[in-house]
Amino acid sequence: MTKRKAVLAGAGATGIVAAAILLPNANASQSPAGSGPVVARKMTAASAAGVAEKLGERLGDAYGGAYYDAGKQRLVVNVVGDDDAAEAAVAQSGAVPRAVRNSTATLKSAAGTLTRRAAIPGTAWAVDPRTNQVIVTADRTVTGQRWDRLETAVEALGEGVARIQKSKGEFKPFADGGDAIFGGGSRCSLGFNVTTQDGGRGFLTAGHCGVAADRWTDENGAALGTVQAATFPGEGDFALVTYDDPGADAPDVVDVGGGQTVPIRGAAEAAVGQQVFRMGSTTGLRDGQVTGLNATVNYPEGTVTGLIQTDVCAEPGDSGGALFTRDGAAIGLTSGGSGNCDVGGETFFQPVTTALDAVGARIP
């Protein structure tokens, strides 16, 4: 078998236009801390995620989540109640304290209650630190008694804890259509190339692609790889495929079209408010923001937990495709959602960090 370049297929004109927006821009550097009163400092999304994680551990019950203000390049941290010490700790870290009503623990508990009481196909929920609520989304199939059941479950959580919004589309995995990798009649997208536990090469894609077929081919029908592990539904939507050709050329890049690639330097956690880019074999390169974390999605095939929610559009065939940042951090794998790239919609992604831990692989 001849060596093949194992990267995402280019996306034509759409990818080229988006790449022109993506590639010339560099991350803004952080501003140095000044003397005098403590003021919010500029941060990258990656550094903000690290600060938020540390503050979450330090603040305990006073922590109400955090989000990244991309426009001002700053981290906003929610503080529950009138806790002067917690607000001072947030300010000292260079973030902006914001008084809220609900703690992270309260919101996570609410999400757990919804999982037990309202796991209705066509619904999804995620914690949104910007509204300090659990945002529950119901697609167009949720009507009648199912809508009443969902509404009752949300109201039982108490005032201001959660709210419902309607989606015009229908939640489903994006697994048909597209032209990147093929298996068992399904068409998906390659996500990120990885190094496996034994030092071999493979790639990550969506779990619902991995359970659809054991073996995958490229767009020319040549054997590409074999599924070694797949999770869907359940605690994630990810699969590890190892290359059949030990000499496969599998660089740590994402092809964004027009002969241009983005080097992938490693995996990172997502942050609400963070700008992200998605590459898929059907719709090419698209961008948007992270809107929620720890999302639960109730697909017709079953419930999937622990996902990232975004406003980046996607369509059938984009499943498994790469979600990444401008500076080359691997963030997620396309799972599913509603809508399309004409009308928009909600989309959900498997966190890459969780997938890597589960299959014992690494990037690069």
Side-chain angles (χ1 to χ4, degrees), residues 71-161:
K72 297 181 178 179
Q73 293 180 290
R74 66 183 189 180
L75 175 67
V76 180
V77 177
N78 295 331
V79 179
V80 179
D82 297 324
D83 192 325
D84 293 339
E87 291 186 1
V90 171
Q92 196 67 40
S93 72
V96 179
R98 171 176 175 249
V100 296
R101 176 177 180 177
N102 299 314
S103 68
T104 297
T106 296
L107 297 178
K108 286 184 177 180
S109 175
T113 299
L114 289 172
T115 298
R116 294 189 300 272
R117 298 181 180 178
I120 302 165
T123 62
W125 46 82
V127 174
D128 180 7
R130 291 175 296 187
T131 61
N132 191 228
Q133 292 180 316
V134 176
I135 304 301
V136 181
T137 306
D139 72 14
R140 63 188 178 193
T141 69
V142 182
T143 58
Q145 292 183 346
R146 295 200 300 170
W147 172 264
D148 293 340
R149 176 185 166 191
L150 179 65
E151 195 170 41
T152 298
V154 169
E155 290 175 352
L157 296 174
E159 183 179 357
V161 175

Side-chain angles (χ1 to χ4, degrees), residues 25-339:
N25 294 285
N27 279 335
S29 61
Q30 296 182 15
S31 298
S35 59
V38 177
V39 296
R41 62 182 174 89
K42 289 186 177 181
M43 304 181 189
T44 63
S47 63
V51 172
E53 182 178 4
K54 292 179 180 178
L55 284 172
E57 295 173 354
R58 180 178 177 183
L59 299 183
D61 292 340
Y63 184 64
Y67 63 93
Y68 184 62
D69 184 337
K72 297 181 178 179
Q73 293 180 290
R74 66 183 189 180
L75 175 67
V76 180
V77 177
N78 295 331
V79 179
V80 179
D82 297 324
D83 192 325
D84 293 339
E87 291 186 1
V90 171
Q92 196 67 40
S93 72
V96 179
R98 171 176 175 249
V100 296
R101 176 177 180 177
N102 299 314
S103 68
T104 297
T106 296
L107 297 178
K108 286 184 177 180
S109 175
T113 299
L114 289 172
T115 298
R116 294 189 300 272
R117 298 181 180 178
I120 302 165
T123 62
W125 46 82
V127 174
D128 180 7
R130 291 175 296 187
T131 61
N132 191 228
Q133 292 180 316
V134 176
I135 304 301
V136 181
T137 306
D139 72 14
R140 63 188 178 193
T141 69
V142 182
T143 58
Q145 292 183 346
R146 295 200 300 170
W147 172 264
D148 293 340
R149 176 185 166 191
L150 179 65
E151 195 170 41
T152 298
V154 169
E155 290 175 352
L157 296 174
E159 183 179 357
V161 175
R163 67 178 176 86
I164 304 176
Q165 62 184 21
K166 289 285 290 183
S167 172
K168 295 180 180 179
E170 181 178 345
F171 291 144
K172 56 186 178 181
F174 292 133
D176 51 359
D179 58 4
I181 57 175
F182 297 77
S186 297
R187 301 174 180 179
C188 293
S189 296
L190 188 153
F192 298 100
N193 286 317
V194 301
T195 299
T196 63
Q197 285 180 314
D198 61 3
R201 295 294 277 168
F203 63 85
L204 296 177
T205 188
H208 63 267
C209 299
V211 300
D214 290 333
R215 301 184 65 82
W216 289 80
T217 67
D218 65 15
E219 59 189 344
N220 297 315
L224 187 63
T226 303
V227 174
Q228 302 299 324
T231 296
F232 178 85
E235 297 180 358
D237 185 0
F238 58 89
L240 170 66
V241 182
T242 53
Y243 287 108
D244 293 336
D245 179 3
D249 183 13
D252 294 302
V253 302
V254 172
D255 184 344
V256 294
Q260 300 184 40
T261 60
V262 174
I264 299 300
R265 57 177 176 79
E269 301 289 349
V272 172
Q274 178 180 26
Q275 183 186 34
V276 286
F277 295 84
R278 177 197 56 74
M279 185 66 193
S281 61
T282 301
T283 58
L285 186 66
R286 305 285 175 153
D287 73 312
Q289 284 192 349
V290 175
T291 59
L293 301 176
N294 296 316
T296 294
V297 187
N298 297 296
Y299 292 125
E301 296 84 352
T303 298
V304 180
T305 61
L307 301 184
I308 300 165
Q309 183 169 337
T310 81
D311 61 7
V312 185
C313 73
E315 295 182 8
D318 289 328
S319 279
L323 184 74
F324 57 100
T325 64
R326 177 179 283 119
D327 61 353
I331 299 295
L333 306 165
T334 307
S335 174
S338 68

